[in-house]
Amino acid sequence: MKTEFTSKRAPIYADVPDEKWNNWRWQLSHRLNSVEEIEKVLTLTDSERKALSAQGLFRVDITPYYISLINPNDPNDPIRKQVIPTDLEMVPFTAMMEDSLAEDKHSPVPGLVHRYPDRVLMLVTTQCATYCRYCTRSRIVGDPTATFSQTEFEMQIEYLKRTPQVRDVLLSGGDPLVLAPKILEKILKALSEIPHIEVIRIGSRVPVFLPMRVTEELTDMLQKYHPLWINIHVNHPNEISAELADATDKLSKAGIPLGNQSVLMAGVNDCVHTQRALVQKLVQIRVRPYYLYQCDLVEGAGHFRTPVAKGIEIIEGLRGHTSGYAVPQYIIDAPGGGGKIPLQPNYLLSYSDHKVVVRNYEGYVTTYEEPTEYTPHDPKTCAYCQNKRPEPGQSGITGLLDGDKMFIKPEGFDTLHERGGIQHRLKDDAKWQPLGIGSGDPDDNS
Ligand SMILES: *Cc1c(COP(=O)(O)O)cnc(C)c1O
């Protein structure tokens, strides 16, 4: 019943003793980043060689472990595409942006992004174990001189202390799990001492790029800061190795719930069948697929972008076809800072008074009769309704449904529609004369 996951090592590493290979410090200090080093593992294409020799391109660094997962004979290998640059990175595209999620605009203090009512994103380092070619934060990530200072860390903690609406802190970067263990623990400890912070999350690709970093010493430290959740980042079934399975096993045994975030990418995982294999393997290593992201409009990533329809097609091929908990949410992280927006195929076909028409994944169309009488719960006696957490300025559509407000207006709406007001005022004015061609207004009897 159990799938065996395999271990791989590129031939040049055949003689490396296991103690070194399985040591994360050895892996980090033997990362590959130049044409000469990478050519010892695989033959580069002209396009790759050109990009690796170019000035000013986003940082390259690949652990020996991760580069060993690439099939050296396949120029279209899905792992190769994620970490080895090509000259397509230099091609600009329409709508390309440096900070497409407008994170810098949402930062009350450097490194802290407060976009949502109850949670924040805290960028704790600019360093990663290996660099993804499509990095959404390539504007800051990889630059060793652009890391966060002690003063900035203190400002982040101060902000969180005086912002009681924040109950969930998501550590990201860069990759929080490449921080020196003492520094990571200092951050976790400081957060866990803030009374209103209920949960800490870490977003990390270390289990994928450097699974040997997940040592017992690390999990012993992490489990002191429960409730702690971790999202890893796997894009293709070929990344699920024996080493990754071992790392997620250790994290799960430390009581850390694991999720996965993937990015939908042309030529990497834009295939229903690849995605099905991916989510099913993730569940086997006790990782629940969380989000599948549409590729951001970030500089250098244009060649990875797919139509949105591809994402919908993938969800269509997962929902109903496989376990519900293996189906991620497909998300567009809205350009300009609109945040995460979920998309899915339409299952609601039509509705009338008390009846909805729905379809399932097989195309079976059915109706659901709604009750003709419905006695809803009484908000006046509901403790949760009576003690709603305020979401200043962000109650959104729920705020409309709750009756907190009646409408949401686009910026400049009132000023724009002043014109109507001006016209009516003019109409009342005796001096106003129609031009004789009717205004099109049915109330206009002039
Ligand atoms: C993604 C993100 C979060 C977390 O979002 P969830 O949907 O709760 O996982 C929080 N803040 C920012 C700025 C984000 O981009």
Side-chain angles (χ1 to χ4, degrees):
M1 166 198 138
K2 253 207 152 122
T3 312
E4 289 298 322
F5 298 102
T6 54
S7 286
K8 284 188 179 165
R9 259 200 221 196
I12 58 154
Y13 300 118
D15 296 333
V16 176
D18 285 354
E19 315 86 79
K20 282 190 176 164
W21 183 259
N22 295 320
N23 180 313
W24 60 273
R25 289 189 174 88
W26 183 90
Q27 288 280 341
L28 281 183
S29 60
H30 288 80
R31 286 184 290 181
L32 302 90
N33 54 46
S34 64
V35 169
E36 299 69 46
E37 289 168 341
I38 296 173
E39 288 241 83
K40 288 181 187 151
V41 180
L42 44 85
T43 310
L44 291 165
T45 64
D46 288 345
S47 162
E48 290 169 333
R49 202 170 297 120
K50 205 163 130 196
L52 283 165
S53 315
Q55 292 295 311
L57 219 60
F58 179 54
R59 177 166 167 187
V60 176
D61 245 331
I62 311 166
T63 56
Y65 159 80
Y66 192 74
I67 205 166
S68 295
L69 300 178
I70 297 176
N71 171 359
N73 304 316
D74 180 5
N76 293 316
D77 183 275
I79 292 187
R80 176 179 189 136
K81 287 193 174 176
Q82 293 181 53
V83 293
I84 298 182
T86 67
D87 60 3
L88 294 172
E89 277 185 34
M90 302 174 231
V91 181
F93 58 91
T94 321
M96 178 176 95
M97 287 179 264
E98 198 192 16
D99 176 14
S100 78
L101 309 180
E103 291 184 330
D104 297 343
K105 197 179 79 189
H106 280 103
S107 292
V109 298
L112 203 69
V113 187
H114 192 177
R115 169 69 190 77
Y116 296 101
D118 71 338
R119 57 207 185 280
V120 297
L121 175 66
M122 186 170 167
L123 306 177
V124 296
T125 175
T126 57
Q127 303 298 296
C128 288
T130 293
Y131 294 90
C132 307
R133 300 325 300 161
Y134 51 91
C135 179
T136 198
R137 284 191 205 108
S138 51
R139 67 187 187 281
I140 44 168
V141 164
D143 179 355
T145 63
T147 216
F148 300 99
S149 67
Q150 173 69 20
T151 325
E152 281 168 342
F153 168 65
E154 280 160 17
M155 283 165 70
Q156 294 177 338
I157 296 295
E158 272 317 302
Y159 177 84
L160 292 173
K161 281 187 183 160
R162 64 184 147 84
T163 314
Q165 81 219 56
V166 176
R167 40 164 295 284
D168 174 1
V169 177
L170 167 51
L171 302 182
S172 184
D175 197 318
L177 295 187
V178 299
L179 284 174
K182 274 201 185 121
I183 296 184
L184 179 59
E185 178 151 23
K186 190 173 98 176
I187 296 169
L188 293 172
K189 188 159 184 292
L191 293 174
S192 68
E193 284 166 359
I194 301 176
H196 53 266
I197 291 176
E198 297 168 5
V199 59
I200 303 172
R201 286 194 262 175
I202 296 176
S204 174
R205 224 183 166 189
V206 155
V208 178
F209 287 145
L210 187 67
M212 40 297 277
R213 176 66 190 94
V214 183
T215 57
E216 229 147 81
E217 191 192 347
L218 179 73
T219 54
D220 284 350
M221 186 276 276
L222 292 176
Q223 68 184 341
K224 290 195 270 176
Y225 300 98
H226 276 316
L228 175 73
W229 293 54
I230 292 183
N231 259 329
I232 65 170
H233 174 172
V234 184
N235 291 317
H236 191 279
N238 290 2
E239 293 172 280
I240 305 184
S241 64
E243 288 86 349
L244 173 60
D246 184 53
T248 59
D249 185 55
K250 286 198 184 101
L251 293 165
S252 293
K253 282 180 177 151
I256 301 167
L258 298 173
N260 184 62
Q261 320 202 68
S262 298
V263 178
L264 176 57
M265 283 179 285
V268 174
N269 57 11
D270 54 339
C271 159
V272 170
H273 306 286
T274 305
Q275 290 282 348
R276 223 183 261 174
L278 172 64
V279 299
Q280 290 170 349
K281 280 193 171 184
L282 283 167
V283 168
Q284 286 182 56
I285 62 167
R286 285 182 283 167
V287 176
R288 190 199 190 294
Y290 180 56
Y291 287 155
L292 170 64
Y293 290 102
Q294 174 67 12
C295 190
D296 287 334
L297 295 167
V298 64
E299 202 173 322
H303 57 296
F304 286 122
R305 300 202 307 130
T306 65
V308 172
K310 185 50 74 175
I312 302 286
E313 182 192 335
I314 286 168
I315 302 304
E316 186 74 73
L318 296 179
R319 172 65 62 198
H321 295 273
T322 195
S323 321
Y325 52 72
V327 183
Q329 285 259 28
Y330 173 49
I331 300 281
I332 294 188
D333 212 336
K340 298 181 179 70
I341 300 175
L343 296 179
Q344 65 167 355
N346 291 324
Y347 294 100
L348 178 60
L349 298 183
S350 196
Y351 42 98
S352 70
D353 218 10
H354 301 299
K355 192 180 276 187
V356 296
V357 181
V358 288
R359 61 106 173 167
N360 78 354
Y361 71 103
E362 295 164 293
Y364 170 80
V365 176
T366 187
T367 53
Y368 178 85
E369 239 355 285
E370 291 176 332
T372 46
E373 269 176 56
Y374 164 53
T375 313
H377 95 298
D378 181 3
K380 286 194 220 63
T381 58
C382 168
Y384 292 96
C385 287
Q386 295 306 310
N387 297 295
K388 279 193 286 199
R389 284 180 79 105
E391 299 184 292
Q394 290 190 289
S395 66
I397 308 298
T398 291
L400 296 181
L401 296 173
D402 258 9
D404 293 350
K405 54 185 177 184
M406 206 172 162
F407 42 73
I408 298 175
K409 291 183 211 176
E411 192 183 332
F413 183 90
D414 288 333
T415 333
L416 179 73
H417 291 278
E418 280 287 302
R419 350 173 249 240
I422 289 163
Q423 210 168 70
H424 284 290
R425 264 180 268 132
L426 285 172
K427 243 196 235 187
D428 292 341
D429 188 325
K431 277 178 283 184
W432 184 78
Q433 290 296 322
L435 293 172
I437 42 171
S439 63
D441 178 350
D443 294 333
D444 186 353
N445 300 317
S446 53

Short mmCIF file of all heavy atoms in Angstrom, two decimals, residues 101 103 106 113-116 119-121 137 168 170 201 231 261 290-291 293 333 339-340, ligand 1:
data_model
loop_
_atom_site.label_atom_id
_atom_site.label_comp_id
_atom_site.label_asym_id
_atom_site.label_seq_id
_atom_site.Cartn_x
_atom_site.Cartn_y
_atom_site.Cartn_z
N LEU A 101 2.39 42.78 -5.96
CA LEU A 101 1.37 42.64 -4.91
C LEU A 101 1.30 43.90 -4.05
O LEU A 101 0.58 43.92 -3.05
CB LEU A 101 1.67 41.41 -4.05
CG LEU A 101 1.93 40.11 -4.84
CD1 LEU A 101 2.22 38.96 -3.88
CD2 LEU A 101 0.72 39.76 -5.71
N GLU A 103 3.28 45.07 -1.93
CA GLU A 103 3.59 44.75 -0.52
C GLU A 103 4.26 45.93 0.16
O GLU A 103 3.99 46.20 1.33
CB GLU A 103 4.49 43.52 -0.46
CG GLU A 103 3.76 42.27 -0.88
CD GLU A 103 4.60 41.00 -0.74
OE1 GLU A 103 5.84 41.05 -0.86
OE2 GLU A 103 3.99 39.96 -0.51
N HIS A 106 1.88 48.30 1.60
CA HIS A 106 1.14 47.81 2.77
C HIS A 106 2.02 47.58 3.99
O HIS A 106 1.61 46.91 4.93
CB HIS A 106 0.42 46.50 2.42
CG HIS A 106 -0.85 46.69 1.66
ND1 HIS A 106 -0.96 46.47 0.30
CD2 HIS A 106 -2.07 47.12 2.05
CE1 HIS A 106 -2.18 46.73 -0.10
NE2 HIS A 106 -2.88 47.13 0.93
N VAL A 113 4.07 43.17 6.36
CA VAL A 113 3.01 43.51 5.41
C VAL A 113 1.67 43.25 6.09
O VAL A 113 1.34 42.11 6.40
CB VAL A 113 3.12 42.68 4.11
CG1 VAL A 113 2.12 43.18 3.08
CG2 VAL A 113 4.54 42.74 3.54
N HIS A 114 0.94 44.33 6.36
CA HIS A 114 -0.36 44.20 7.04
C HIS A 114 -1.45 44.48 6.01
O HIS A 114 -1.84 45.63 5.82
CB HIS A 114 -0.44 45.15 8.23
CG HIS A 114 -1.62 44.85 9.10
ND1 HIS A 114 -1.89 45.52 10.26
CD2 HIS A 114 -2.60 43.93 8.97
CE1 HIS A 114 -3.01 45.04 10.80
NE2 HIS A 114 -3.46 44.07 10.02
N ARG A 115 -1.94 43.44 5.37
CA ARG A 115 -2.90 43.56 4.28
C ARG A 115 -4.31 43.20 4.73
O ARG A 115 -5.28 43.76 4.27
CB ARG A 115 -2.43 42.63 3.14
CG ARG A 115 -3.42 42.39 2.02
CD ARG A 115 -3.60 43.66 1.22
NE ARG A 115 -4.69 43.59 0.27
CZ ARG A 115 -5.98 43.68 0.55
NH1 ARG A 115 -6.38 43.80 1.81
NH2 ARG A 115 -6.89 43.64 -0.40
N TYR A 116 -4.41 42.20 5.61
CA TYR A 116 -5.71 41.63 6.03
C TYR A 116 -6.04 42.05 7.46
O TYR A 116 -5.17 42.43 8.22
CB TYR A 116 -5.65 40.11 5.93
CG TYR A 116 -5.46 39.60 4.52
CD1 TYR A 116 -4.22 39.19 4.06
CD2 TYR A 116 -6.53 39.57 3.63
CE1 TYR A 116 -4.04 38.74 2.76
CE2 TYR A 116 -6.36 39.13 2.33
CZ TYR A 116 -5.13 38.72 1.90
OH TYR A 116 -4.96 38.28 0.61
N ARG A 119 -4.33 39.27 10.30
CA ARG A 119 -3.06 38.56 10.16
C ARG A 119 -2.04 39.40 9.40
O ARG A 119 -2.42 40.26 8.61
CB ARG A 119 -3.26 37.21 9.48
CG ARG A 119 -3.93 37.29 8.12
CD ARG A 119 -4.66 35.96 7.85
NE ARG A 119 -5.23 35.89 6.52
CZ ARG A 119 -6.38 36.46 6.16
NH1 ARG A 119 -7.06 37.21 7.03
NH2 ARG A 119 -6.84 36.32 4.93
N VAL A 120 -0.77 39.11 9.64
CA VAL A 120 0.29 39.85 8.95
C VAL A 120 1.32 38.89 8.37
O VAL A 120 1.47 37.75 8.82
CB VAL A 120 1.05 40.83 9.88
CG1 VAL A 120 0.15 41.92 10.42
CG2 VAL A 120 1.78 40.10 10.99
N LEU A 121 2.02 39.41 7.39
CA LEU A 121 3.13 38.71 6.77
C LEU A 121 4.39 39.38 7.30
O LEU A 121 4.52 40.60 7.24
CB LEU A 121 3.01 38.90 5.26
CG LEU A 121 4.11 38.36 4.36
CD1 LEU A 121 4.14 36.86 4.41
CD2 LEU A 121 3.85 38.82 2.92
N ARG A 137 9.19 37.95 -4.88
CA ARG A 137 9.90 39.02 -4.15
C ARG A 137 11.33 39.19 -4.63
O ARG A 137 12.21 39.55 -3.85
CB ARG A 137 9.88 38.73 -2.65
CG ARG A 137 8.56 39.04 -2.04
CD ARG A 137 8.50 39.04 -0.54
NE ARG A 137 7.11 38.75 -0.23
CZ ARG A 137 6.68 37.61 0.27
NH1 ARG A 137 7.52 36.66 0.61
NH2 ARG A 137 5.39 37.41 0.44
N ASP A 168 -2.62 36.27 13.91
CA ASP A 168 -1.93 35.24 13.14
C ASP A 168 -0.74 35.92 12.44
O ASP A 168 -0.94 36.92 11.73
CB ASP A 168 -2.95 34.69 12.12
CG ASP A 168 -2.42 33.71 11.10
OD1 ASP A 168 -1.22 33.39 11.14
OD2 ASP A 168 -3.22 33.26 10.25
N LEU A 170 2.46 35.32 9.88
CA LEU A 170 3.05 34.42 8.89
C LEU A 170 4.48 34.85 8.61
O LEU A 170 4.71 35.94 8.10
CB LEU A 170 2.17 34.48 7.63
CG LEU A 170 2.68 33.87 6.33
CD1 LEU A 170 3.16 32.46 6.53
CD2 LEU A 170 1.57 33.89 5.29
N ARG A 201 2.68 31.02 11.75
CA ARG A 201 2.84 30.19 10.55
C ARG A 201 4.20 30.47 9.94
O ARG A 201 4.68 31.60 9.99
CB ARG A 201 1.81 30.58 9.50
CG ARG A 201 0.43 30.13 9.78
CD ARG A 201 -0.38 30.28 8.49
NE ARG A 201 -1.15 31.50 8.47
CZ ARG A 201 -1.86 31.89 7.41
NH1 ARG A 201 -1.86 31.19 6.30
NH2 ARG A 201 -2.56 33.00 7.46
N ASN A 231 3.65 25.92 5.92
CA ASN A 231 3.31 25.67 4.52
C ASN A 231 4.60 25.45 3.77
O ASN A 231 5.51 26.29 3.84
CB ASN A 231 2.61 26.88 3.91
CG ASN A 231 1.11 26.68 3.82
OD1 ASN A 231 0.61 25.56 3.66
ND2 ASN A 231 0.37 27.76 3.94
N GLN A 261 1.82 25.11 -0.86
CA GLN A 261 1.46 26.13 -1.82
C GLN A 261 2.25 25.87 -3.09
O GLN A 261 3.45 25.64 -3.03
CB GLN A 261 1.82 27.52 -1.32
CG GLN A 261 1.53 27.71 0.16
CD GLN A 261 1.38 29.16 0.56
OE1 GLN A 261 0.43 29.82 0.16
NE2 GLN A 261 2.30 29.65 1.36
N TYR A 290 -2.88 23.43 -0.16
CA TYR A 290 -3.56 24.61 0.39
C TYR A 290 -3.92 25.57 -0.75
O TYR A 290 -5.09 25.75 -1.05
CB TYR A 290 -2.61 25.26 1.41
CG TYR A 290 -3.09 26.50 2.12
CD1 TYR A 290 -4.27 26.51 2.84
CD2 TYR A 290 -2.32 27.67 2.11
CE1 TYR A 290 -4.68 27.66 3.53
CE2 TYR A 290 -2.72 28.82 2.79
CZ TYR A 290 -3.89 28.80 3.50
OH TYR A 290 -4.29 29.93 4.17
N TYR A 291 -2.91 26.15 -1.39
CA TYR A 291 -3.17 27.07 -2.50
C TYR A 291 -2.43 26.65 -3.76
O TYR A 291 -1.30 26.16 -3.69
CB TYR A 291 -2.70 28.49 -2.15
CG TYR A 291 -3.55 29.24 -1.14
CD1 TYR A 291 -2.99 30.26 -0.37
CD2 TYR A 291 -4.91 28.97 -0.97
CE1 TYR A 291 -3.75 30.99 0.54
CE2 TYR A 291 -5.68 29.69 -0.04
CZ TYR A 291 -5.10 30.69 0.71
OH TYR A 291 -5.84 31.41 1.61
N TYR A 293 -1.36 28.90 -6.91
CA TYR A 293 -1.37 30.30 -7.31
C TYR A 293 -1.22 30.49 -8.81
O TYR A 293 -0.36 29.86 -9.44
CB TYR A 293 -0.18 31.06 -6.70
CG TYR A 293 -0.27 31.27 -5.22
CD1 TYR A 293 0.46 30.48 -4.35
CD2 TYR A 293 -1.07 32.28 -4.69
CE1 TYR A 293 0.40 30.68 -2.97
CE2 TYR A 293 -1.14 32.49 -3.33
CZ TYR A 293 -0.40 31.69 -2.47
OH TYR A 293 -0.47 31.89 -1.12
N ASP A 333 -3.38 36.20 -6.81
CA ASP A 333 -2.99 37.24 -5.84
C ASP A 333 -3.09 38.54 -6.62
O ASP A 333 -2.28 38.80 -7.52
CB ASP A 333 -1.59 36.97 -5.28
CG ASP A 333 -1.47 37.47 -3.85
OD1 ASP A 333 -2.26 38.38 -3.47
OD2 ASP A 333 -0.61 36.98 -3.11
N GLY A 339 -4.92 41.46 -2.82
CA GLY A 339 -4.91 40.26 -1.98
C GLY A 339 -5.35 39.03 -2.75
O GLY A 339 -5.56 39.07 -3.97
N LYS A 340 -5.52 37.93 -2.00
CA LYS A 340 -5.78 36.64 -2.64
C LYS A 340 -7.25 36.48 -3.01
O LYS A 340 -8.11 36.67 -2.17
CB LYS A 340 -5.35 35.53 -1.69
CG LYS A 340 -3.86 35.57 -1.38
CD LYS A 340 -3.47 34.45 -0.45
CE LYS A 340 -1.99 34.46 -0.16
NZ LYS A 340 -1.57 35.61 0.68
C1 LIG B 1 -0.85 35.41 1.72
C2 LIG B 1 -0.80 36.47 2.71
C3 LIG B 1 -1.29 36.27 4.00
C4 LIG B 1 -1.91 34.97 4.44
O1 LIG B 1 -3.07 34.70 3.72
P1 LIG B 1 -3.96 33.40 4.02
O2 LIG B 1 -5.00 33.43 2.95
O3 LIG B 1 -4.50 33.59 5.40
O4 LIG B 1 -3.05 32.22 3.93
C5 LIG B 1 -1.23 37.32 4.87
N1 LIG B 1 -0.74 38.51 4.50
C6 LIG B 1 -0.27 38.75 3.26
C7 LIG B 1 0.24 40.09 2.90
C8 LIG B 1 -0.29 37.73 2.32
O5 LIG B 1 0.18 37.95 1.08
#
